[in-house]
C-alpha cells in the first residue's frame, strides 16, 4: 500500500463520507473509493462499513487507521528532512485560523504561501478557537493561528504580533475625540460577535459588560453594517479596519490589544515550515504591532468560547 492510500483511509475515517473525504484529498470520489478498496483487498478485511450512513470504521479498521496516522507522521518527517537538505519546506501542513484574523491575514499572505510553499501541500480552515484546539489535540490539524495566551499544558504558543482593539462608531455619533475611554462608549448599545468567538468575550471584558449585547452576529462585516445603520457601536480588530476613518477611534493608552500566536501541540516537528510561515506572517504585519510594550493584553476565556 502507498502513502497516498493511507491518507485516503485516514480522511475517510475522519469525515465518515466518501464524498467529503475525496474533497478533502482533492481527488474524485471514485478514485478514493477504488484505492480504499485496494487496501482492504490487500489486508484481507473491510476497514469501513459502507452500509451505514455516515460510514463507520470497523474495529479492525480503527486499528489500521491509528497505525496509518503514525506512518503518515513518520513519512512527513522524511519530507521535513529532505526539505532541510534542499533549504525549502516540504511535506504537508494543515492550519486552523480564527475568523477575526483570517479575514485580513489570509488575503495578505496567500500568494506568498503559494510561492514559498510550492513543495508543501497546505490546507487552511477558518474555525473558532475551541474547534482549533480540539483538532490540534486529535491531530486533525498541525497549527492554529488564534488569540492567546491560553496556558494549556499540551499546547505551545508562539506569539506573532499584538493587535489593538478600536471602536467603530455610527455615522451620526457626536464623539470627536482622538481616543476614547469607557465613558465615551458606555451610552451606546454594544454590538458583538456570537458565543463561539473569543473576540466577543474580549470585547465584553474591555467594556466591563456582563449582560447580553443588543445584537450578536457571526460576522465582523455584519456588525459594521449594523453600526452604519446607527444601532450602536462595536469593537473591531485594528488590522481588519482597512482605511482610516474618523469613525474608527483607538482607546486611550495603554490600548487594549490581543496577542495573536501560532499554536501547536507539543511534539510538533515541522520546524522549517513553522519558521517560514512565521516569517511570511510578520512580513505582512506592520512593525508597530510586533511588540507588546505599549499595549494592555486582553486574555482569552476558553470556558466562554
Amino acid at each position: 500500500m502507498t502513502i497516498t492510500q493511507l491518507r485516503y483511509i485516514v480522511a475517510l475515517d475522519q469525515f465518515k463520507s466518501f464524498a467529503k473525504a475525496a474533497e478533502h484529498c482533492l481527488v474524485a470520489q471514485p478514485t478514493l473509493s477504488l484505492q480504499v478498496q485496494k487496501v482492504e483487498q490487500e489486508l484481507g478485511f473491510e476497514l469501513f462499513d459502507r452500509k451505514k450512513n455516515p460510514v463507520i470504521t470497523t474495529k479492525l479498521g480503527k486499528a489500521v487507521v491509528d497505525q496509518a496516522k503514525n506512518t503518515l507522521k513518520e513519512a512527513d518527517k522524511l519530507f521535513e528532512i529532505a526539505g532541510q537538505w534542499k533549504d525549502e519546506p516540504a511535506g504537508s501542513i494543515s492550519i486552523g485560523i480564527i475568523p477575526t484574523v483570517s479575514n485580513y491575514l489570509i488575503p495578505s499572505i496567500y500568494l506568498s504561501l503559494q510561492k514559498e510553499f510550492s513543495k508543501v501541500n497546505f490546507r487552511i480552515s477558518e474555525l473558532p478557537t475551541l474547534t482549533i484546539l480540539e483538532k490540534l489535540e486529535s491531530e486533525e490539524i498541525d497549527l492554529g493561528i488564534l488569540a492567546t495566551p491560553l496556558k494549556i499544558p499540551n499546547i505551545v504558543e508562539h506569539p506573532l504580533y499584538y493587535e489593538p482593539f478600536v471602536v467603530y462608531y455610527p455615522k451620526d455619533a457626536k464623539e470627536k475625540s482622538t481616543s476614547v475611554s469607557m465613558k465615551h462608549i458606555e451610552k451606546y448599545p454594544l454590538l458583538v460577535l456570537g458565543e463561539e468567538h473569543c473576540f466577543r468575550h474580549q470585547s465584553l471584558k474591555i467594556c466591563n459588560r456582563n449582560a447580553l449585547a443588543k445584537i450578536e452576529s457571526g460576522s465582523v462585516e455584519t456588525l459594521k453594517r449594523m453600526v452604519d445603520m446607527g444601532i450602536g457601536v462595536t469593537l473591531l480588530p485594528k488590522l481588519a479596519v482597512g482605511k482610516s476613518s474618523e469613525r474608527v477611534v483607538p482607546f486611550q493608552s495603554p490600548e487594549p490589544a490581543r496577542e495573536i500566536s501560532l499554536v501547536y501541540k507539543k511534539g510538533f516537528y515541522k520546524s522549517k515550515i513553522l519558521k517560514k510561515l512565521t516569517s511570511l506572517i510578520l512580513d505582512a504585519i506592520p512593525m508597530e504591532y510586533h511588540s507588546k510594550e505599549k499595549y494592555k493584553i486582553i486574555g482569552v476565556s476558553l470556558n466562554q468560547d
Side-chain angles (χ1 to χ4, degrees):
M1 65 189 71
T2 67
I3 294 296
T4 298
Q5 289 173 328
L6 295 183
R7 295 193 190 282
Y8 291 169
I9 65 172
V10 169
L12 185 54
D13 173 73
Q14 176 184 345
F15 292 99
K16 314 298 182 187
S17 161
F18 280 92
K20 291 180 180 179
E23 181 181 358
H24 174 79
C25 295
L26 303 178
V27 296
Q29 182 176 333
T31 299
L32 182 138
S33 181
L34 177 62
Q35 293 305 316
V36 171
Q37 187 176 5
K38 285 184 176 181
V39 173
E40 290 176 324
Q41 290 173 346
E42 186 175 349
L43 293 174
F45 54 83
E46 287 189 345
L47 302 177
F48 304 97
D49 185 349
R50 294 162 174 80
K51 298 177 183 178
K52 305 292 185 181
N53 186 17
V55 174
I56 294 179
T57 307
T58 64
K59 185 176 181 180
L60 284 174
K62 180 59 75 172
V64 172
V65 168
D66 289 343
Q67 186 58 48
K69 290 179 180 178
N70 292 332
T71 302
L72 290 173
K73 185 181 294 186
E74 295 303 316
D76 282 343
K77 288 182 182 179
L78 293 177
F79 284 116
E80 175 75 11
I81 293 171
Q84 291 175 4
W85 285 101
K86 297 177 183 177
D87 196 31
E88 63 179 336
S92 64
I93 196 78
S94 55
I95 305 168
I97 180 168
I98 57 175
T100 55
V101 171
S102 66
N103 66 346
Y104 64 80
L105 183 61
I106 298 304
S108 299
I109 67 172
Y110 187 75
L111 292 179
S112 296
L113 277 175
Q114 286 188 310
K115 179 180 178 181
E116 300 295 334
F117 287 77
S118 59
K119 302 295 184 182
V120 177
N121 177 22
F122 67 88
R123 187 176 185 89
I124 302 173
S125 302
E126 189 178 88
L127 302 165
T129 297
L130 283 181
T131 302
I132 290 175
L133 295 174
E134 289 168 0
K135 288 183 178 293
L136 283 173
E137 181 60 35
S138 63
E139 300 184 353
E140 294 178 47
I141 61 174
D142 301 297
L143 292 171
I145 301 177
L146 40 71
T148 54
L150 300 169
K151 298 180 181 179
I152 298 175
N154 200 36
I155 295 295
V156 178
E157 301 175 11
H158 184 65
L160 295 168
Y161 60 93
Y162 305 89
E163 181 178 25
F165 294 78
V166 294
V167 180
Y168 186 63
Y169 280 106
K171 295 178 182 178
D172 59 353
K174 297 180 180 180
E175 306 296 338
K176 299 297 182 182
S177 304
T178 57
S179 62
V180 298
S181 64
M182 289 306 103
K183 68 178 182 179
H184 290 111
I185 61 174
E186 61 187 9
K187 58 186 174 183
Y188 293 95
L190 180 66
L191 283 60
V192 297
L193 292 171
E195 281 284 351
E196 71 274 18
H197 298 277
C198 56
F199 193 87
R200 161 206 170 90
H201 304 291
Q202 290 173 311
S203 297
L204 292 174
K205 188 181 296 185
I206 291 170
C207 297
N208 297 317
R209 298 195 190 185
N210 297 317
L212 293 177
K214 186 171 183 179
I215 296 290
E216 297 184 19
S217 170
S219 164
V220 168
E221 290 304 313
T222 299
L223 291 180
K224 289 172 65 177
R225 286 195 288 270
M226 299 300 285
V227 173
D228 291 343
M229 295 172 61
I231 295 175
V233 299
T234 192
L235 270 56
L236 299 175
K238 173 64 176 176
L239 294 173
V241 172
K243 295 182 179 179
S244 60
S245 166
E246 63 179 12
R247 295 169 56 199
V248 176
V249 185
F251 282 92
Q252 293 177 354
S253 183
E255 297 176 67
R258 60 178 183 170
E259 178 183 80
I260 302 299
S261 300
L262 270 169
V263 302
Y264 47 89
K265 192 175 179 180
K266 285 183 179 178
F268 179 79
Y269 57 88
K270 301 177 183 181
S271 57
K272 187 170 289 292
I273 292 177
L274 179 66
K275 182 178 180 180
K276 176 64 71 172
L277 181 59
T278 299
S279 177
L280 287 178
I281 293 174
L282 289 179
D283 285 347
I285 301 299
M287 283 290 296
E288 62 185 292
Y289 304 128
H290 289 197
S291 172
K292 65 179 179 180
E293 290 184 4
K294 63 179 181 178
Y295 298 124
K296 176 184 178 182
I297 305 303
I298 306 301
V300 179
S301 302
L302 288 179
N303 63 334
Q304 293 178 304
D305 280 8

